[in-house]
Amino acid sequence: MKNFVVKTIANAGALAVAIWLIGNITLEGGSTGRKVLTLILVALIFGLVNSLVKPVVQLLTFPLFILTLGLITLVVNALMLLLTSWLAGVVDLSFHVEGFWTAVLGGLIISVVSWALNVVLPDEN
């Protein structure tokens, strides 16, 4: 359970950095508390997408992974971010990623920041 909370916090932090750095990734809302709650809910959606959908997509794109020497991972991460944006819209959260190339850059930033936060944050079960 603690590991789940740590990963959600890392995802929320990584998403916050991407929102801060990239103008076409937006998180709207009224107060700061509302934005933080929305960010945590989006981080939960992002975590679910990465744990349920991403392994299937990676399995299906395995030949492309070999062919592109792993660069297809950038595309897969971008698609997971776009899917998260779409799902956030479905559940009426004010998180939006505008365009594929924005998602590629956002996915790259989220991957790097999430990795760094997972190194720093404690990892216990």
Side-chain angles (χ1 to χ4, degrees):
M1 181 65 174
K2 197 174 189 182
N3 192 23
F4 174 75
V5 172
V6 168
K7 286 186 186 273
T8 301
I9 291 170
N11 279 339
L15 285 165
V17 170
I19 291 165
W20 179 59
L21 290 175
I22 303 173
N24 289 336
I25 299 178
T26 57
L27 178 72
E28 299 169 358
S31 65
T32 303
R34 175 78 178 157
K35 286 183 179 180
V36 168
L37 179 62
T38 301
L39 185 63
I40 291 171
L41 292 174
V42 170
L44 286 171
I45 293 171
F46 189 65
L48 285 173
V49 165
N50 279 331
S51 66
L52 298 176
V53 179
K54 191 174 182 178
V56 174
V57 173
Q58 285 178 327
L59 181 65
L60 294 174
T61 60
F62 185 71
L64 287 174
F65 182 81
I66 300 296
L67 186 65
T68 64
L69 301 175
L71 289 176
I72 193 71
T73 305
L74 292 172
V75 174
V76 171
N77 288 343
L79 292 175
M80 297 305 108
L81 189 57
L82 286 171
L83 180 60
T84 300
S85 174
W86 179 77
L87 288 172
V90 168
V91 296
D92 202 29
L93 294 173
S94 58
F95 174 76
H96 183 67
V97 178
E98 188 177 320
F100 175 75
W101 293 109
T102 300
V104 170
L105 184 58
L108 183 61
I109 290 170
I110 290 169
S111 295
V112 170
V113 173
S114 181
W115 169 79
L117 288 175
N118 279 318
V119 167
V120 172
L121 292 172
D123 187 21
E124 298 176 11
N125 287 327

